[in-house]
């Protein structure tokens, strides 16, 4: 049966699909707050039941020490690619509850929008993925590809158990690629495919210039001041334009490709409005547009600094210690460890030898995410989206970090295509979160076609195309 | 009767003098804590009674809105100079009480040391002054000079009422000079005379680079960061040696005199130990010794700085605001207003035009204190101390600020000679504060001779010598 019939089947049953999604949304699966542990357990039970009813096998909870992930597989397409299907069932807390027009866990449709905590992030798009698989199995008796559904329970708490789970269940999760229901669309009218995001490493540094804070009358003018020394260290990080001034940190960077710059230029982006909307001032590396600085170039920011007396009024001390928190957003081609070493060497070089410097080793840095633009997942998405919209999709890259993509790439060697249908204005993490019913329909049209498109490849072909794309 | 007899009279009555001092020390006159209000009142009543019994007239409390000062005068030497005699009757809190070997308000003599809160700071030296006046009046029926005793009750709380009191009672306090029982000796074996201390102005500055803190993933690399901008501003204040790098701030500075440098060199001062004792690193203006940097040159210190996230762990924000507290120690020849303006101009110049800078106007700055080395009070002290010790006194200057001297100079036009007999190791403001009985004896020998020496001048002569010294 043609995929069009699958899509039509789904679109004919939108009321039923919304109803099922509402049942999912009524479960208050807030992962950040132990008071909601029942809501988490109810959501797990609901999903286990759902996956079993769809017809997935091996349905189980994958335990990594925290909230478990929910897993289920369909392996009925031998010789075809196997795709992990990622979603998450946990949601942000609903506070402030009184700011909601209708209660956060009582889903309500108003003006074509489904209001509920988690509707946009990301139960709505997760439901699209599950309904798609369900329709294939119900109508055709088979999916175009093998699928392994993986629904995380700690996305909203920075995924502390994700690495342990993926390591522990590596064999079970083995796949050729991943499609994620998470990752919002970048624009309401223009189809976009996310092919990159920056990685991040974080540091905290402290310096000491004396055993204790000293009286500025008794010592002022004759001894070092930790605040002055920290200011000099921080000042050494950037040039007068705000560009990173540590050559060793930029040395290993590949030149930004012409195509990546063309992608950046294609995405409609009002630079003036972007900066003015938050009362900020543009700043940064010469020779790059703001959009390029945000997505294609590394950024080093002091996230916090402090030293000496910071209370009310004056206190005439010479601070003996000063501190700074730093984060470095890194781009494809930068190795977190190498970059981290380069930053440490720089800090030790600029810090005067008689000032004690301690650098707390960064937690595991996160590599940049880079999905090759010729990857079969990207080509499949391009085809589906351009047919659906009549427009060539724009390849976009994010300035922020998506650790999940990097964890799966690192531990399972697979790429992730983000294929969520949320939009950026849907108040995720805020009161009155909503998901557009129009987006639900768009997703229900696109997901079956995407799986169908990927299923046109044999597993072998998919792997070799993937490998070729990585090398290019 | 020769002054030797006055001194002998005092030295013969040390037990009785210590007993009276102990009565004074038993009164818990802690000005910083309202719980001790009774102790403050008891001390005021005790001093009023004491001054009256000595034979002073016009004994009264001088009210400036806070704890009053105690006042009493003897004006029986027409044609002779009139000296204000400064002391303070308030003391620091005794905490931590359990750290005292004997209770803070139960004075106890051990090994020639009188232990009690306030013994060294400054009831001991205040008693020396009062006993001196008492002895003159009792034995000779007259003091060598006119005296106006002024005992402050708020020295330990930064003298908030001192200006109002001196302004309100200006006529009553009119005098030709002041001798202070406060101001410790600088060295146990070498006689010293304090002829200067630095003044101070304080600032708080804030900058803003955006309406709110921004996400470092979404904005990093493209917008200004308040922590970076503040670091640059702070870095602009000093050169690589730690010397002030604001030419306009140093422009008006007179050259440090050869004699002042010679004085600094004469005072035994172990530069290495000074720095190493507190684990600090030497730093500062080229061409000046540490002692000179501390006492003869201005010092600009950031006392505190902060911006962005300073809590536990990481938070990937771009701070939109950053703050710094600054204090500038100034030296004779620097006008607080001019210097403050120069600093403001510098800050506005180095701050990029698109960064919002706000400078909170300094509270009333305090000028440096400068007692001319040829001032008759200095010459009198030199003579007395060199005869007592067989050594030429060393003229010393302090790095810290003594606002009291500046207030009396500004409002009454008089100079202050600090003639206290405390020593720097007597644990003032700490548990187990003590005053050496040997210092009491030295003070009882020196104070009568000092008054006698000043009394050799007529008032007219004293004033013209003072004026000449100021001009030199």
């Amino acid at each position: 049966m043609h995929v069009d019939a699958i899509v039509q089947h789904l679109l004919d049953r939108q009321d039923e699909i919304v109803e099922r999604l509402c049942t999912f949304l009524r479960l208050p699966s807030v992962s950040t707050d132990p008071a909601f542990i029942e809501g988490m357990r109810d959501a797990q039970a609901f999903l286990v039941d759902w996956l079993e009813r769809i017809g997935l096998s091996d349905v189980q909870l994958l335990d990594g020490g925290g909230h478990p992930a929910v897993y289920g597989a369909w392996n009925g397409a031998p010789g075809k690619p196997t795709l992990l299907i990622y979603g998450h069932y946990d949601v942000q807390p609903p506070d402030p509850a009184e700011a909601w027009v209708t209660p956060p866990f009582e889903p309500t449709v108003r003006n074509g929008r489904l209001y509920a905590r988690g509707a946009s992030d990301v139960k709505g798009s997760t439901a699209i993925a599950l309904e798609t698989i369900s329709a294939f199995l119900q109508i055709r008796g088979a999916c175009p590809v093998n699928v392994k559904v993986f629904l995380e329970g700690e996305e909203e708490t920075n995924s502390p158990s994700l690495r342990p789970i993926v390591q522990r269940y590596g064999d079970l999760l083995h796949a050729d690629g991943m499609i994620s229901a998470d990752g919002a669309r970048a624009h309401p009218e223009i189809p976009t495919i996310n092919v990159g995001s920056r990685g991040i490493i974080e540091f905290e540094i402290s310096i000491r210039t004396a055993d204790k804070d000293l009286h500025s009358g008794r010592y002022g003018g004759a001894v070092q001041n930790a605040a002055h020394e920290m200011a000099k260290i921080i000042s050494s990080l950037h040039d007068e334009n705000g560009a990173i001034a540590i050559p060793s940190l930029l040395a290993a960077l590949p030149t930004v490709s012409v195509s990546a710059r063309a992608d950046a230029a294609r995405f409609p982006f009002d630079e003036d409005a972007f900066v003015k909307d938050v009362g900020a001032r543009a700043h940064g590396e010469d020779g790059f547009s703001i959009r390029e600085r945000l997505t294609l170039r590394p950024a080093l920011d002091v996230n916090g600094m402090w030293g000496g007396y910071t209370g009310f009024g004056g206190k005439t001390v010479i601070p003996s210690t000063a501190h700074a928190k730093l984060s470095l957003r890194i781009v494809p081609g930068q190795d977190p460890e190498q970059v981290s070493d380069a930053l440490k060497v720089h800090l030790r070089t600029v810090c005067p030898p008689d000032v004690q410097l301690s650098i707390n080793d960064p937690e595991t840095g996160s590599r940049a995410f880079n999905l090759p633009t010729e990857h079969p997942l990207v080509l499949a998405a391009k085809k589906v989206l351009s047919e659906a919209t009549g427009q060539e999709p724009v390849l976009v890259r994010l300035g922020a970090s998506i650790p999940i993509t990097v964890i799966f790439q690192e531990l399972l060697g697979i790429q992730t295509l983000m294929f969520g249908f949320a939009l950026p204005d849907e108040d995720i993490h805020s009161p009155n979160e909503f998901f557009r019913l129009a987006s639900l329909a768009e997703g229900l049209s696109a997901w079956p076609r995407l799986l169908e498109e990927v299923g046109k490849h044999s597993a072998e072909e998919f792997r070799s195309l993937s490998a070729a794309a990585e090398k290019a």
Side-chain angles (χ1 to χ4, degrees), chain A residues 354-423:
Chain A
D354 46 5
V355 171
Q356 295 168 53
L357 168 69
S358 64
I359 304 175
N360 91 336
D361 270 317
E363 298 164 36
T364 319
S366 165
R367 230 169 242 285
F369 162 61
N370 184 40
L371 177 58
T373 55
E374 298 303 310
H375 193 281
L377 287 176
V378 175
L379 299 180
K382 265 190 175 174
K383 186 160 181 227
V384 168
L385 292 177
S386 56
E387 283 176 6
T389 62
Q391 299 178 62
E392 173 79 354
V394 176
L395 302 182
V396 295
R397 290 164 178 88
L398 299 184
S401 307
I402 309 177
I404 290 164
T405 57
V406 178
I407 289 173
F408 282 93
Q409 186 163 35
E410 210 178 281
L411 298 180
L412 300 181
I414 59 173
Q415 284 287 8
T416 299
L417 172 73
M418 279 172 272
F419 210 64
F421 275 77
L423 280 169

Side-chain angles (χ1 to χ4, degrees), chain A residues 134 163 168 236 351:
Chain A
S134 174
R163 262 175 199 279
R168 186 166 173 189
S236 77
C351 183

Side-chain angles (χ1 to χ4, degrees), chain A residues 110-421:
Chain A
R110 293 195 299 277
N111 299 322
R113 298 169 165 195
L114 176 56
Y115 286 86
R117 167 57 82 230
S120 178
D121 181 20
V122 74
K123 287 178 174 175
S125 293
T126 299
I128 291 170
L130 299 185
E131 297 289 354
T132 295
I133 296 166
S134 174
F136 273 122
L137 295 181
Q138 202 183 324
I139 315 249
R140 201 190 263 176
C143 276
V145 294
N146 300 295
V147 293
K148 295 181 169 180
V149 172
F150 180 92
L151 305 176
E152 194 189 359
E154 294 183 327
E155 200 276 340
E156 302 296 356
T157 59
N158 294 319
S159 306
S161 308
L162 186 58
R163 262 175 199 279
I165 289 174
V166 177
Q167 275 162 337
R168 186 166 173 189
Y169 299 96
D171 288 346
L172 196 67
L173 297 173
H174 181 79
D176 300 308
M178 181 158 101
I179 304 178
S180 168
D182 203 2
R185 291 185 282 168
H187 198 277
E189 281 114 37
I190 300 165
T192 58
I193 300 171
N194 189 341
V195 293
S197 71
R198 293 191 287 193
I200 187 169
I201 55 176
E202 294 181 66
F203 276 90
E204 187 167 321
I205 64 173
S206 296
I207 58 169
R208 177 174 283 283
T209 52
D211 293 343
K212 56 181 178 183
D213 290 356
L214 300 171
H215 188 285
S216 76
R218 292 197 58 208
Y219 290 88
V223 298
Q224 287 176 336
N225 176 316
H228 303 179
E229 299 302 327
M230 183 57 88
K232 280 188 213 156
I233 291 172
I234 293 173
S235 294
S236 77
L237 304 176
H238 299 87
D239 68 15
E240 65 279 9
N241 298 320
I244 294 173
I246 309 171
S248 61
L249 206 145
L250 305 175
L253 263 185
T255 314
V256 175
S257 73
V258 174
S259 65
R261 300 189 77 162
D263 293 339
R266 279 190 66 209
F267 185 76
F269 183 76
D270 183 337
E271 298 206 334
D272 276 353
F274 177 78
V275 166
K276 279 184 188 153
D277 281 354
V278 291
R281 284 95 198 150
H283 207 73
E285 202 174 356
D286 253 1
F288 293 94
S289 70
I290 288 186
R291 182 77 186 167
E292 289 170 345
R293 288 175 193 161
L294 291 172
T295 59
L296 301 175
R297 300 297 291 171
L300 177 56
D301 273 291
V302 171
N303 307 119
M305 68 171 183
W306 68 102
Y309 179 71
T310 60
F312 182 77
K315 189 176 177 193
T316 50
V317 291
I318 299 177
S320 58
T321 62
H323 313 269
K325 292 176 190 282
L326 276 69
S327 67
L328 175 64
R329 302 276 172 178
I330 58 177
V331 294
Q334 288 187 302
D335 176 66
E337 253 185 75
Q338 275 176 10
V339 165
S340 161
D341 286 346
L343 185 52
K344 280 192 222 171
V345 167
H346 171 82
L347 292 168
R348 295 209 173 98
T349 305
V350 296
C351 183
D354 46 5
V355 171
Q356 295 168 53
L357 168 69
S358 64
I359 304 175
N360 91 336
D361 270 317
E363 298 164 36
T364 319
S366 165
R367 230 169 242 285
F369 162 61
N370 184 40
L371 177 58
T373 55
E374 298 303 310
H375 193 281
L377 287 176
V378 175
L379 299 180
K382 265 190 175 174
K383 186 160 181 227
V384 168
L385 292 177
S386 56
E387 283 176 6
T389 62
Q391 299 178 62
E392 173 79 354
V394 176
L395 302 182
V396 295
R397 290 164 178 88
L398 299 184
S401 307
I402 309 177
I404 290 164
T405 57
V406 178
I407 289 173
F408 282 93
Q409 186 163 35
E410 210 178 281
L411 298 180
L412 300 181
I414 59 173
Q415 284 287 8
T416 299
L417 172 73
M418 279 172 272
F419 210 64
F421 275 77

Side-chain angles (χ1 to χ4, degrees), chain A residues 412-435:
Chain A
L412 300 181
I414 59 173
Q415 284 287 8
T416 299
L417 172 73
M418 279 172 272
F419 210 64
F421 275 77
L423 280 169
D425 65 348
E426 295 176 339
D427 286 326
I428 66 167
H429 298 206
S430 296
N432 303 306
E433 176 178 353
F434 67 92
F435 187 53

